[in-house]
Amino acid sequence: MYKELEGFKVNNQFSLTVEDNLEEVCNASEGSGVFLVYDVAEEKELIMVGSTGTVQNDGTLKTKNGGLYDKIVNGHQFAKTGRKYSWPAQMKKEEISRLEVVWYETYNKNTKVIPTFVEAQVLQNFLSENDKLPRWNVAF
């Protein structure tokens, strides 16, 4: 686990296989924060980091309805379609048997850490260790 993520109290994880329905297995909250996606086939490998929620200059949080849950399930990736469709297709293409998704609320009434800041920290550490971004992160 990345040390940047240790202090967040609201967090959980779930697994996804090609046969699963992402809308049903996703247990992410409607809060704001980050999520990490791992390919857990043979060796656990971080393949993506994402976040949701934008902090405004007055300290309030701007978030889309549905928060982390909606970003994970309906956010676009690999195509102009939600992850509930594109992740299983990509898993088949890459022959990934199971994903593990770990999510953290980084900005709520008790914790105030900008989601994209945490996302950037995790990605920077990954880049420093591997000289590249996780394979499902196109750019940052």
Side-chain angles (χ1 to χ4, degrees):
M1 180 169 88
Y2 290 90
K3 66 181 184 322
E4 298 82 12
L5 304 170
E6 291 174 358
F8 300 113
K9 304 281 186 245
V10 181
N11 64 76
N12 209 329
Q13 65 185 46
F14 64 91
S15 292
L16 177 73
T17 67
V18 175
E19 294 81 28
D20 290 332
N21 179 330
L22 183 55
E23 289 178 295
E24 293 174 5
V25 300
C26 181
N27 65 1
S29 74
E30 292 187 3
S32 294
V34 298
F35 60 97
L36 286 69
V37 181
Y38 295 92
D39 175 351
V40 292
E42 293 174 24
E43 195 174 300
K44 190 171 179 178
E45 175 192 357
L46 180 65
I47 61 172
M48 188 197 152
V49 181
S51 68
T52 186
T54 306
V55 178
Q56 304 299 298
N57 69 349
D58 64 358
T60 60
L61 187 73
K62 180 180 177 186
T63 184
K64 293 181 180 175
N65 290 342
L68 283 160
Y69 175 88
D70 188 62
K71 181 77 170 202
I72 293 169
V73 172
N74 297 310
H76 291 188
Q77 187 173 8
F78 304 118
K80 293 185 178 182
T81 183
R83 290 186 177 99
K84 61 186 170 189
Y85 305 113
S86 65
W87 276 5
Q90 191 68 21
M91 290 170 71
K92 286 178 187 173
K93 183 178 176 182
E94 293 185 31
E95 298 181 358
I96 297 172
S97 59
R98 186 168 67 90
L99 296 178
E100 182 178 290
V101 180
V102 185
W103 57 269
Y104 303 83
E105 274 191 25
T106 67
Y107 203 95
N108 55 37
K109 66 178 182 173
N110 299 319
T111 306
K112 305 250 184 280
V113 183
I114 300 169
T116 51
F117 174 72
V118 179
E119 178 185 18
Q121 285 182 305
V122 173
L123 286 171
Q124 181 61 57
N125 284 340
F126 188 94
L127 177 65
S128 297
E129 294 168 9
N130 301 282
D131 291 325
K132 61 182 180 178
L133 292 177
R135 70 177 189 251
W136 283 13
N137 283 94
V138 176
F140 187 79

